[in-house]
Amino acid sequence: MNSIDASEHYDLGITDLAPSLLTVIIDTNPYAWAALEDSLPLSKAVANILVFVNAHLACNYANEVAVVASHSQKAAWLYPVQHGGQASSDGDGDVAMNGTNGASTPQTNKYRPFRQVEEQVTRNLADLMASTDSEDLRGNTSTMLAGALTLALSHMNRRTIAWAEEHGGSKLEDAAAEAGAGGGGSGAQGRYSASNDDERLQCRLLIISVSGSSDSAHQYIPVMNSIFACQRLNIPIDVCKLSGDAVFLQQACDATKGVYMSLAEPRGLLQYLMMAFLPDQRSRRHLVLPTRVDVDFRAACFCHRRVVDVGFVCSICLSIFCEPPPDHTCLTCGTPLDSGDFGAKPALLPRKKKKKKRANGTSTPGSTPTPGP
């Protein structure tokens, strides 16, 4: 064809940067949100989060988002869900084309990704709250943060692999080897490589937390394992704390180079989300991020899940105990521990009295003389 029209044709490759996957973990603990009812109700907070999610999707047409609920008794997906991403159909199996998507109010003037996120998040969150009864909340004031982190990490790993396969990232080395062998190939190799951070799917986590550190202390081990996994995969963890303070979430942001912000006024949630948490990893290289210097590095013991300052550490598995374990044996690996005389009261020796020296019955130098008559 080139010889017929006598024109030159060039293969223009797309050089757009890889999109970003934002996973939002919303703490839906009913007890904690009941305490914030006067300043920031849950419904208003969800509306602000949806505006933030839509802004993330609007930054790049290929950006992705996932929303996970960290509830009191389980961690559940709010978006995407397996049954929610399909178009609705009528009785004979035809897809509804009237733009209503089975609802009474038309949504034809709304951007389709925005509408899908809003509908699924609100519907699934309402179903989650409706399925929670008083028996599930009785004596349970914690949130399943460890389960939500596990779901988020699994989804990000699955999407990263799928995105690399779709864009030829897994076949890049093979294509480069064939081109280097001089086989006269066309050079149609993958445009993305997994070795370059800018060419991989950019994943990051945002945790909207309302529970205290004492409520999640019993999940210390799985939470720290998730933090180490994010650190290994270069996934920053951002935390927006609406009430209280969390020791482990501070450590998560510090270890993964994320942003930690404890809001003094929860009613300004949307402003904090848009200004501090909207930029992705590439944009943050050119910004001055809010940092936190007073990070609490205390750990929770493995026996009672208490946040301790000083404790006993196993020299084999590095398990932490707030008090000597029973039979002086590590509860994790079973290694015999030798705590010595730790905790015994020290022996107090009486202080010796210093004798004053007197020379010929006169007072010692430096003493005050007796006034005369």
Side-chain angles (χ1 to χ4, degrees), residues 100-349:
T100 59
N101 197 17
S104 57
T105 304
Q107 300 289 340
T108 56
N109 295 329
K110 185 176 292 186
Y111 185 44
R112 187 168 180 267
F114 295 172
R115 176 177 55 83
Q116 288 181 347
V117 173
E118 293 177 4
E119 289 179 355
Q120 292 189 28
V121 169
T122 53
R123 180 177 65 251
N124 295 326
L125 183 59
D127 295 342
L128 179 63
M129 291 299 181
S131 62
T132 305
D133 52 8
S134 59
E135 295 295 333
D136 298 332
L137 299 178
R138 182 173 300 175
N140 186 10
T141 60
S142 62
T143 178
M144 298 300 295
L145 180 60
L149 287 173
T150 304
L151 289 178
L153 283 173
S154 302
H155 177 72
M156 286 186 291
N157 182 61
R158 183 168 59 251
R159 287 301 306 146
T160 301
I161 297 175
W163 192 88
E165 292 178 352
E166 291 174 0
H167 295 79
S170 60
K171 300 180 180 180
L172 182 61
E173 292 79 9
D174 298 339
E178 293 177 2
S186 60
Q189 59 183 6
R191 294 184 287 108
Y192 301 93
S193 66
S195 59
N196 192 349
D197 292 339
D198 290 337
E199 296 179 355
R200 291 184 299 178
L201 183 65
Q202 301 291 314
C203 301
R204 57 193 177 103
L205 265 169
L206 173 61
I207 302 177
I208 310 253
S209 176
V210 292
S211 302
S213 59
S214 58
D215 298 332
S216 59
H218 63 283
Q219 308 176 47
Y220 174 74
I221 299 176
V223 168
M224 293 306 297
N225 290 338
S226 301
I227 294 174
F228 294 149
C230 292
Q231 186 181 18
R232 177 66 178 84
L233 298 174
N234 296 326
I235 299 176
I237 299 178
D238 302 332
V239 175
C240 182
K241 204 73 177 66
L242 298 182
S243 64
D245 214 352
V247 176
F248 312 132
L249 296 182
Q250 294 181 22
Q251 300 176 13
C253 295
D254 182 76
T256 59
K257 299 180 181 180
V259 178
Y260 182 92
M261 296 193 70
S262 181
L263 307 188
E265 182 56 53
R267 284 178 291 186
L269 173 62
L270 181 58
Q271 181 177 358
Y272 284 103
L273 292 176
M274 300 294 289
M275 302 302 296
F277 300 104
L278 184 59
D280 56 359
Q281 292 94 311
R282 286 185 294 263
S283 302
R284 294 181 182 184
R285 301 173 187 172
H286 311 284
L287 300 176
V288 179
L289 301 177
T291 57
R292 188 181 181 94
V293 295
D294 54 341
V295 180
D296 194 347
F297 290 102
R298 291 183 300 171
C301 65
F302 286 32
C303 49
H304 301 92
R305 302 298 187 264
R306 303 171 185 167
V307 179
V308 295
D309 298 324
V310 180
F312 299 88
V313 181
C314 176
S315 58
I316 304 300
C317 63
L318 302 181
S319 299
I320 304 172
F321 305 99
C322 60
E323 57 187 23
D327 302 329
H328 295 278
T329 303
C330 178
L331 302 179
T332 304
C333 62
T335 304
L337 303 178
D338 186 11
S339 58
D341 296 333
F342 182 84
K345 295 183 179 180
L348 300 178
L349 301 177

Side-chain angles (χ1 to χ4, degrees), residues 33-42 44-45 242-243 264-268:
W33 282 107
L36 293 175
E37 184 66 26
D38 297 334
S39 59
L40 183 66
L42 178 59
K44 190 173 182 180
L242 298 182
S243 64
E265 182 56 53
R267 284 178 291 186

